[in-house]
Amino acid sequence: MKDNQKVNILMILVSIGLILGGVFVIDYDNRNIAGICIGFGSGLASLNVVHILFKRMLRKHPEYKRQSEIDAKDERSIAITNKAKAKAYDKMIYIMIGVPFVMIFTNSPLWMILTVIAFYLFGYSLQLYYIVKYNKVM
């Protein structure tokens, strides 16, 4: 527990360094790198601050920790979560079919359209892979 907190504090220091580096590097030529540094540093800092606050809350209220462990292992909760993920994936596939057409009508660059199509095909390929895998297991 203490080691994780040390890692969180170290990551906060790294993120502060990234933010400061991004702020001091801001230049017209390096604005993309500065933006990435500031965005990545801000996200990393907020994630680690939330981890520290969440761990403190669980230490003060052990009943929440016990309940969250029970919920994480509950078969009904796991089944509901998996079904929700499957439904969300089904809806996302229909949306992903329409996105390239919208991009074509808005005259988006070809590489962006092909990237979206590649992501769609990658997702569909993963679905087929898992169908074959689970058919062998079950």
Side-chain angles (χ1 to χ4, degrees), residues 2-20:
K2 295 259 181 190
D3 291 332
N4 287 340
Q5 196 165 14
K6 287 180 183 176
V7 170
N8 289 130
I9 291 171
L10 177 69
M11 296 306 284
I12 289 172
L13 293 175
V14 168
S15 62
I16 289 171
L18 280 172
I19 292 169
L20 290 177

Side-chain angles (χ1 to χ4, degrees), residues 89 92-93 96-97 99-101 103 109-127:
Y89 176 77
M92 188 186 75
I93 287 295
M96 288 292 288
I97 290 171
V99 169
F101 291 108
M103 292 175 78
L110 182 63
W111 68 269
M112 291 176 73
I113 297 167
L114 292 176
T115 302
V116 171
I117 292 171
F119 279 124
Y120 172 78
L121 291 175
F122 177 71
Y124 200 74
S125 300
L126 276 178
Q127 179 186 5

Side-chain angles (χ1 to χ4, degrees), residues 50-105:
V50 167
H51 268 258
I52 290 172
L53 293 176
F54 187 69
K55 286 176 186 174
R56 283 187 182 172
M57 192 265 310
L58 289 180
R59 258 187 270 145
K60 287 183 181 177
H61 305 283
E63 66 271 8
Y64 292 144
K65 183 178 181 180
R66 189 168 42 93
Q67 185 62 41
S68 68
E69 289 174 355
I70 290 170
D71 288 343
K73 294 177 183 175
D74 184 31
E75 290 181 18
R76 183 176 173 269
S77 297
I78 293 170
I80 289 171
T81 302
N82 288 339
K83 190 168 184 172
K85 285 180 186 178
K87 289 286 185 185
Y89 176 77
D90 288 344
K91 303 296 180 199
M92 188 186 75
I93 287 295
Y94 289 122
I95 292 170
M96 288 292 288
I97 290 171
V99 169
F101 291 108
V102 171
M103 292 175 78
I104 289 170
F105 291 128

